[in-house]
Amino acid sequence: MGSRFPVLQTILLFSTLAAAAAAGKNLRPESSNDLVRKSCVNASYPEICYRTLSSYGGSAMKTPRDLAQAALEVSLGRAAKTAEFVRSVRGESGRERAALRDCVQEMGDAVEELRRSVAELKHLRKGAEFEWQMSNVETWVSAALTNEDTCLDGFKEVSAAVRSDVRRKIRNMAKVTSNALYLVNLLGSSPNNNKQ
């Protein structure tokens, strides 16, 4: 009878440890992929949002601010590549060359606006200054989207081949930028999201 007591104690101890371990799993902070998935679900292009951000920052993204920062950096990188692509396209007609020249200007402006947004988000402060900074970032990212649309408008009457190539690149860039704007707006809607 006395020998059964330590066995019961051992079983009870293991049961308690197993229950504590299971409870500990539920208390674990959410992973960066959980944050990305939860944040991207209502973005304009949720699949693109999840794909680009889950592979971008890995475990470094722990807060909505990290996510917005990463989204802007992805958008800036895409904008820079798109601007480079547009500069490399050679127009056949005067109209094509003019559309490309205008688009290069628009893309340059978009890159600059996104660059300023990335820099501003890195130095967010609290209180009234937070709102002012977020307003700046939202304005610049919106302007970058407008530049992208303006670029596409110039290609309405150029050859189908040039138009198709440029449109594909700019639309891809616009989707990433639209997602970035969504995540910036999400961050701006709650100063509590501005956690280091």
Side-chain angles (χ1 to χ4, degrees), residues 176-192:
V176 172
T177 305
S178 178
N179 286 338
L181 180 59
Y182 168 76
L183 292 169
V184 164
N185 287 336
L186 207 57
L187 175 65
S189 67
S190 173
N192 293 333

Side-chain angles (χ1 to χ4, degrees), residues 48 52 71 74-75 78 172-181:
I48 293 171
T52 56
V74 167
S75 184
R78 191 73 60 95
N172 288 339
M173 173 189 164
K175 288 175 183 177
V176 172
T177 305
S178 178
N179 286 338
L181 180 59

Side-chain angles (χ1 to χ4, degrees), residues 2 9 21 34 38 52 89 147-149 159 177 189 193:
Q9 273 187 321
D34 292 341
K38 193 164 68 173
T52 56
V89 176
N147 289 120
E148 293 158 14
D149 286 343
S159 81
T177 305
S189 67
N193 285 335

